[in-house]
Amino acid sequence: MLLVQMLKLLTSSFNNMVFTHGMSFPKRSEITPGTCIFYDLYQKDKIGHKIVSTIDCEELDIAQTLAFIKNKARTFCKKYPHFHCRIKEKNWCKVETIDYDKMIFMMDKSKNEIMEMVLNNPLNPELPGWQFIVTTNNSIMLICDHIYGDGAFIANMIREMFDDKSLNNLPEKREKHSISLVSKIWLFVRILFLIYKRFTLSKKAQVPLTPVTNKQICLAPLSLLHLKQIRDRFSCKDNTHISINDLIHTIIVKTNSLYFKKDTITSAAMFNMRENMNDLSDQNKIGYILLANKLHDNLPETLLGDVHEFMTFYKTTPATLIISKIMHWYYSWDSVKACHLLKSLNKSVDFIISNYMFQYKDKHIQHGIKVLNAYGTVTPCDANQMYSVTTYGDNVNIYLTYKEPIISDVEHFRNCFDETIKWIQK
């Protein structure tokens, strides 16, 4: 019923918004609905959505590193004043005195041990909702509540920690689609029908009604160059092209299909909607889309084509804009019901994926110490599985946070992922 409600809202708005990009909605507070909704999610369980950004480095001098980060943190708080605040009653309220020793410290644990703590424990409610932890295995971890910013926002913060603050990975140019109006309308109707039909038929993995523990798996760093070589083997019948995002989403769908023994996998994707990556006037500006992919046979090109068609739908029609604006409007009108709808949607899908490509490589921090890798992950919150895909240089890092009852056999899940990698290369 929730899906039907969402589709009705979506289709009723299509006639008025097919070729427009403007829609206003009332604001309930000083912060935008896209940020405020994360505050409401935090209020429920005091853990909410956290973004964890990790920088793996060459050997660190702990004392020098802590002094270096504290100096950077003071700069962050001046440049982004809300990092000196905490949200209370839907407004940013300044924390008068920040004790940086409580927010930036070394912990005698590995990053994996720290991550398990972060996934299941709240941040100090008396301090701003972020902290830096230096680990015993030469990593710097920024733990930050999602209310402070999305992937693009946090990536800009991380960039300021590097000796060279430039962007040095040239991103691929965004694909320009030349699809006719009739094709767009047909695609719009067809994908809405497939979402409705496949969500109705798909059987979701059920979480037992017992306390759950959030866990994390590092599935890979894959080679970006190798993924591009795999992608270039596939082609499309229309005027569009397979993307790296299409390929990664296909890999995750196939892995879930093998592990859960299902031929229909439903998912939601969250991604950056900033037209200008340097425009950080909104802390959170992300889109939300739904996918329902069916494995008709065991051919990689069939599933990849199905994923690509869904992604083309969201790129070439105003569906993403409509969904995001309707959710913001609904939240501004009734935040309780909107949060309930979003939570129910997140629980109804097999997985959620957040994909952010860092435009960084060959970086150094603190007197020339080399950065070996940089990546992010997000706590699952209401999702059964949350995949975080980030890049650093040639590394495509895929991390999964999940509810422990959902994936009971981690080794088998890893084997399904490895089998999928072999399958996509056939």
Side-chain angles (χ1 to χ4, degrees):
M1 290 301 294
L2 289 168
L3 179 61
V4 173
Q5 180 184 0
M6 193 72 179
L7 291 177
K8 284 182 178 178
L9 288 169
L10 184 62
T11 52
S12 66
S13 302
F14 179 67
N15 291 333
N16 294 327
M17 294 187 63
V18 172
F19 300 108
T20 64
H21 294 279
M23 177 179 177
S24 61
F25 48 85
K27 292 186 178 181
R28 302 176 67 249
S29 65
E30 291 181 4
I31 55 179
T32 63
T35 290
C36 196
I37 196 167
F38 286 115
Y39 169 75
D40 282 338
L41 294 174
Y42 165 80
Q43 287 295 100
K44 176 181 176 294
D45 58 11
K46 300 304 179 183
I47 295 177
H49 269 300
K50 293 177 187 171
I51 298 176
V52 182
S53 298
T54 303
I55 303 175
D56 291 341
C57 306
E58 294 179 325
E59 187 173 356
L60 297 169
D61 180 297
I62 300 301
Q64 285 187 358
T65 300
L66 291 175
F68 166 79
I69 298 174
K70 288 175 185 177
N71 182 56
K72 288 292 183 180
R74 292 184 179 93
T75 302
F76 296 152
C77 289
K78 289 180 181 179
K79 186 170 184 179
Y80 310 113
H82 67 294
F83 273 80
H84 208 296
C85 303
R86 190 98 190 193
I87 293 183
K88 296 180 180 179
E89 301 298 328
K90 306 294 177 78
N91 289 286
W92 288 111
C93 297
K94 186 175 181 180
V95 177
E96 292 302 326
T97 303
I98 296 182
D99 187 342
Y100 286 101
D101 289 332
K102 291 182 178 179
M103 301 186 66
I104 302 164
F105 51 90
M106 183 266 184
M107 186 173 284
D108 191 19
K109 295 180 182 293
S110 70
K111 59 186 176 184
N112 291 334
E113 292 173 317
I114 294 171
M115 189 65 204
E116 186 165 337
M117 293 175 54
V118 169
L119 289 173
N120 295 286
N121 294 283
L123 293 167
N124 188 331
E126 301 303 318
L127 297 171
W130 56 268
Q131 60 184 195
F132 281 93
I133 300 177
V134 180
T135 75
T136 55
N137 49 351
N138 299 307
S139 294
I140 300 171
M141 302 176 70
L142 166 60
I143 297 96
C144 184
D145 194 295
H146 216 310
I147 61 176
Y148 288 87
D150 55 24
F153 207 108
I154 302 304
N156 271 273
M157 282 188 58
I158 294 298
R159 177 172 56 165
E160 295 183 22
M161 295 187 67
F162 301 138
D163 285 349
D164 173 11
K165 300 181 180 62
S166 65
L167 298 174
N168 54 6
N169 271 1
L170 294 178
E172 293 184 318
K173 292 182 179 179
R174 292 192 175 182
E175 181 182 350
K176 293 183 178 180
H177 302 278
S178 55
I179 300 178
S180 68
L181 173 60
V182 173
S183 297
K184 288 182 181 181
I185 294 175
W186 168 242
L187 184 63
F188 192 93
V189 175
R190 171 176 161 74
I191 295 300
L192 287 184
F193 173 75
L194 288 178
I195 290 175
Y196 174 76
K197 182 179 179 180
R198 293 177 182 178
F199 262 88
T200 303
L201 296 176
S202 178
K203 294 181 180 179
K204 312 299 182 303
Q206 297 297 318
V207 179
L209 298 176
T210 56
V212 299
T213 300
N214 295 323
K215 293 281 190 176
Q216 177 180 265
I217 305 173
C218 174
L219 289 173
L222 302 174
S223 166
L224 179 58
L225 177 61
H226 185 51
L227 287 176
K228 288 179 179 179
Q229 291 170 344
I230 296 173
R231 175 201 62 186
D232 292 343
R233 292 175 41 232
F234 298 97
S235 59
C236 303
K237 295 179 181 178
D238 55 19
N239 294 322
T240 61
H241 301 281
I242 299 295
S243 70
I244 294 295
N245 286 348
D246 295 342
L247 190 62
I248 292 173
H249 202 98
T250 299
I251 290 171
I252 294 174
V253 168
K254 177 65 174 178
T255 300
N256 272 258
S257 176
L258 290 174
Y259 183 82
F260 294 110
K261 295 180 172 59
K262 297 170 54 178
D263 65 357
T264 299
I265 300 296
T266 58
S267 58
M270 295 189 294
F271 57 92
N272 171 52
M273 290 186 68
R274 300 176 194 273
E275 293 184 10
N276 179 358
M277 295 301 294
N278 292 318
D279 178 11
L280 300 176
S281 55
D282 290 336
Q283 281 87 49
N284 285 282
K285 197 167 186 179
I286 54 179
Y288 184 96
I289 61 178
L290 295 169
L291 297 90
N293 299 113
K294 188 173 179 63
L295 288 84
H296 298 283
D297 52 40
N298 200 40
L299 297 175
E301 54 266 33
T302 304
L303 178 56
L304 185 57
D306 191 70
V307 170
H308 175 70
E309 187 173 40
F310 272 79
M311 293 299 187
T312 302
F313 161 71
Y314 288 111
K315 291 175 183 176
T316 60
T317 74
T320 304
L321 179 71
I322 293 172
I323 292 173
S324 301
K325 293 298 186 181
I326 285 177
M327 287 300 296
H328 288 180
W329 175 83
Y330 191 29
Y331 177 79
S332 297
W333 174 53
D334 192 325
S335 62
V336 175
K337 289 183 179 179
C339 285
H340 177 72
L341 174 61
L342 182 60
K343 289 162 66 68
S344 299
L345 285 171
N346 289 344
K347 289 179 180 179
S348 73
V349 297
D350 292 299
F351 69 85
I352 298 178
I353 183 171
S354 174
N355 194 327
Y356 188 80
M357 298 297 177
F358 290 123
Q359 297 170 16
Y360 310 139
K361 66 177 181 179
D362 302 327
K363 295 297 186 182
H364 297 79
I365 64 167
Q366 186 196 343
H367 310 301
I369 294 175
K370 186 176 181 181
V371 175
L372 304 176
N373 199 1
Y375 47 91
T377 188
V378 183
T379 53
C381 197
D382 298 303
N384 294 327
Q385 301 180 72
M386 171 69 80
Y387 292 84
S388 300
V389 183
T390 51
T391 61
Y392 177 78
D394 189 52
N395 293 321
V396 178
N397 303 289
I398 303 178
Y399 278 79
L400 164 63
T401 53
Y402 65 97
K403 306 292 184 184
E404 190 174 29
I406 291 296
I407 299 176
S408 56
D409 189 340
V410 173
E411 189 62 30
H412 178 48
F413 191 87
R414 289 185 185 278
N415 290 337
C416 290
F417 181 83
D418 293 340
E419 183 179 339
T420 298
I421 298 299
K422 295 177 182 177
W423 168 81
I424 201 74
Q425 297 178 87
K426 290 182 180 178

